[in-house]
Amino acid sequence: MRDIAKAAGINIAMISYYFGSKEKLMEELFKMRMSAGLASVKEISENTMLTTVEKLEKALSGYMDRVKHNKSFYKVILAEQATNKNKSVIRFMSRLKETYAKFFESVLNEGYASGAFKNRVDPVLFITTITGTIMQSLLNKHLYATHYGVKVTEEWIRDVYFEKVKEHLKTITRNILGYESNS
Amino acid sequence: MRDIAKAAGINIAMISYYFGSKEKLMEELFKMRMSAGLASVKEISENTMLTTVEKLEKALSGYMDRVKHNKSFYKVILAEQATNKNKSVIRFMSRLKETYAKFFESVLNEGYASGAFKNRVDPVLFITTITGTIMQSLLNKHLYATHYGVKVTEEWIRDVYFEKVKEHLKTITRNILGYESNS
DNA sequence: AAGTTAATCAAACATTTGTTTAACTTTATT
DNA sequence: AATAAAGTTAAACAAATGTTTGATTAACTT
């Protein structure tokens, strides 16, 4: 709390004054940061101009971009889920995941119905692979860099690494679902 | 530390007496639990009787089994990497990951050389997807269960859920690398 | 301008947490 | 059996941590 107050340039008592407790502060943080993802999914599913593949790729690239611009926050998400301490955050994440699950399930079903996707996959496990790849990419930056002898800088992460991950995501999605590239 | 001592049925001072500090206790835990993975990789790469696909599938199924039998520990691994606090654990994990990276790189190269694998993938990003899927499957148990209306029990997790994840892993590996099923 | 409410702060408070101490018991050595 | 070493413990210690208090200042309201 002291670190947060210092970083925010405020007195520590202000956090309790405005948020009530550390737990509630975390809750607000989650609600605020997660709303962008929900809005993006909502917008995509309501857009009738998009093909199934476009919907899918738009969702994935949006997801990647949000993680790319909120690296620390997504590490907090990981830590929160792994430690399982803040119950209201866990509940919040569960609801959120269910929303994403329904979205991806409907996109996959649309693709199977139209014949765009040739390979059957469990939608929940598909999300698990996508989310897992993105989250793990946050933890494997240094592995990638040292393996290929590159120096880790903010620019490299932003302009090179995350672009490679994005491309990789596209590739594996195409291979997993079995559809042809259109770009 | 008090919780650990209680769970172990020992006095809290014993931890300092035998391990020195909380950090060093964690280090020992990591060294101990991770040695199985290293041994498995070593054994597989030294076994000349196996085909490339067999090596790959043996490594993945071994990995899955270790996670399945040490669920809490792998959540600790996730939390440790996400919070980035214990530097010696981070260093240890980095060395370990590099070992795995080299292993998978050589397996993939072997597959490309023999023509067994048709699709090119970056080996480090391939590991990222595999590890990510497995780790995320630890966090998505409840999503899977509620999405399909199943009750979460230890038996269900062990006998049903992780078997589904294992199957899924096999499927996506096959699709990502582009090789044919042999079973 | 007086009075009320809201915002801010330094300090105090009460737990929690990792570590150490000092006394003791048990085990091993001669 | 006597002595030393190793193992074990309850209690104390010091630092960290989330929260509250009570005083002070700033911002509205009439």
Side-chain angles (χ1 to χ4, degrees), chain A residues 10-62:
Chain A
I10 54 156
N11 186 282
I12 189 175
M14 299 271 77
I15 303 181
S16 299
Y17 183 72
Y18 282 106
F19 292 95
S21 68
K22 190 190 176 188
E23 288 222 333
K24 284 181 192 160
L25 168 67
M26 183 90 87
E27 264 182 74
E28 285 308 311
L29 174 67
F30 269 69
K31 281 180 194 160
M32 179 180 279
R33 291 283 176 99
M34 291 313 227
S35 62
L38 279 177
S40 160
V41 160
K42 193 153 177 275
E43 192 206 304
I44 293 173
S45 36
E46 282 169 356
N47 188 338
T48 50
M49 297 277 87
L50 300 170
T51 67
T52 310
V53 170
E54 280 166 351
K55 275 182 196 165
L56 188 66
E57 296 199 335
K58 211 168 154 59
L60 294 186
S61 120

